[in-house]
């Protein structure tokens, strides 16, 4: 059993209604030693989606400090999931340098001003062209923004593709994926394995095993594990599956962060 969940949302994210203390109590009941909140900060989220993925960092830090005192039996970390787009790099640099987060996940949630979560993204797109644009936007983000620890759920948008057969041929994106992974490695950044792919019935985590294997082949070591849970039932989702899966791919360690410093733990 994994003892740490490094991708957790609470009602500081506009798509979660779970107060932090409910997540923490669930984590304690599951025997987790660490829970790292990584609430959404997606500056300037397009108005047509009527979602405001932003929180007040002062309030966030105050709340986590208060809860850390209330629940000494678990280590509660202050993380954040930033929804990157190239023109926001300066704003995020300022935010991340101002507050002492333990852990920063950089994610692509938008391609241009379209969210693959909604149907309008997929109009006039095939699965292939949508995926390609998504991967290209990851590259554009890591070209200009570097103050993060891991890149989030590298291929997660396939879960929202309006097609029945979601099995994707990763070799079709090999060049792009290699470019992304090599760039991340040259920057000393890691990736995360996000177990919510199982929850969406994909039968694999995000990213897919093929991407994880390639990451390992290229010398990738930093790999955090997170459920991306937005409610207590989804905390630590399928963690019992992910450990044997990672071991079977050849991984021997996973990574946790504290004060932005990585620590490798045996799987
Ligand atoms: N933020 C969700 C996905 C999403 N919801 C995009 C709205 N737009 C994944 O945590
Ligand atoms: Zn979310
Ligand atoms: Zn995300
Ligand atoms: Zn998330």
């Amino acid at each position: 059993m994994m003892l740490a969940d490094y991708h957790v949302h609470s009602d500081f994210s506009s798509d979660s209604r779970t107060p932090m203390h409910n997540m923490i109590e669930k984590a304690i009941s599951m025997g987790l030693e660490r829970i790292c909140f990584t609430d959404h900060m997606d500056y300037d989220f397009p108005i047509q989606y009527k979602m405001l993925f932003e929180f007040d960092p002062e309030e966030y830090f105050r709340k986590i400090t208060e809860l850390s005192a209330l629940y000494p039996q678990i280590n509660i970390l202050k993380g954040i999931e930033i929804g990157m787009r190239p023109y926001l790099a300066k704003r995020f640099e300022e935010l991340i340098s101002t507050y002492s987060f333990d852990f920063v996940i950089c994610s692509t949630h938008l391609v241009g001003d379209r969210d693959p979560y909604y149907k309008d993204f997929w109009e006039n797109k095939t699965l292939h062209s949508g995926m390609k644009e998504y991967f290209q936007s990851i590259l554009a983000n890591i070209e200009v923004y570097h103050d993060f620890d891991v890149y989030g759920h590298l291929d997660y948008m396939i879960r929202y593709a309006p097609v029945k057969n979601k099995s994707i041929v990763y070799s079709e994106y090999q060049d792009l994926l290699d470019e992304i992974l090599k760039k991340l490695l040259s920057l000393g950044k890691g990736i995360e394995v996000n177990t919510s792919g199982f929850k969406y019935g994909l039968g694999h985590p995000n990213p897919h095993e093929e991407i994880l294997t390639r990451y390992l082949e290229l010398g990738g070591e930093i790999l955090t594990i997170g459920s991306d849970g937005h409610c207590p039932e989804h905390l630590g989702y399928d963690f019992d599956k992910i450990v044997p899966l990672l071991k079977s791919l050849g991984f021997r360690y996973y990574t946790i962060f504290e004060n932005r410093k990585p620590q490798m733990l045996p799987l």
Side-chain angles (χ1 to χ4, degrees), residues 127 158-168 200-202:
L127 178 61
I158 52 164
R159 63 174 70 152
Y160 306 125
V163 296
K164 279 223 173 67
N165 180 5
K166 296 195 184 187
S167 58
I168 52 173
Y200 277 84
L202 293 174

Side-chain angles (χ1 to χ4, degrees), residues 9 13 15-16 40 53 81 109 228 230:
H9 294 275
S13 295
D15 58 354
S16 165
H40 286 299
F53 283 115
E81 179 179 21
H109 291 135
D228 211 348
H230 289 62

Side-chain angles (χ1 to χ4, degrees), residues 88-142:
L88 295 170
K90 276 265 159 328
R91 272 185 81 183
F92 278 119
E93 272 162 21
E94 184 147 334
L95 173 76
I96 299 305
S97 63
T98 303
Y99 293 92
S100 38
F101 286 101
D102 287 301
F103 178 54
V104 180
I105 303 176
C106 184
S107 293
T108 290
H109 291 135
L110 293 166
V111 177
D113 62 356
R114 295 294 171 92
D115 183 342
Y117 182 82
Y118 300 100
K119 281 205 184 67
D120 65 319
F121 171 86
W122 295 97
E123 279 161 20
N124 312 313
K125 279 192 187 58
T126 60
L127 178 61
H128 184 85
S129 68
M131 293 277 293
K132 221 171 141 177
E133 283 183 37
Y134 184 82
F135 291 141
Q136 279 161 343
S137 66
I138 293 178
L139 259 185
N141 284 337
I142 54 184

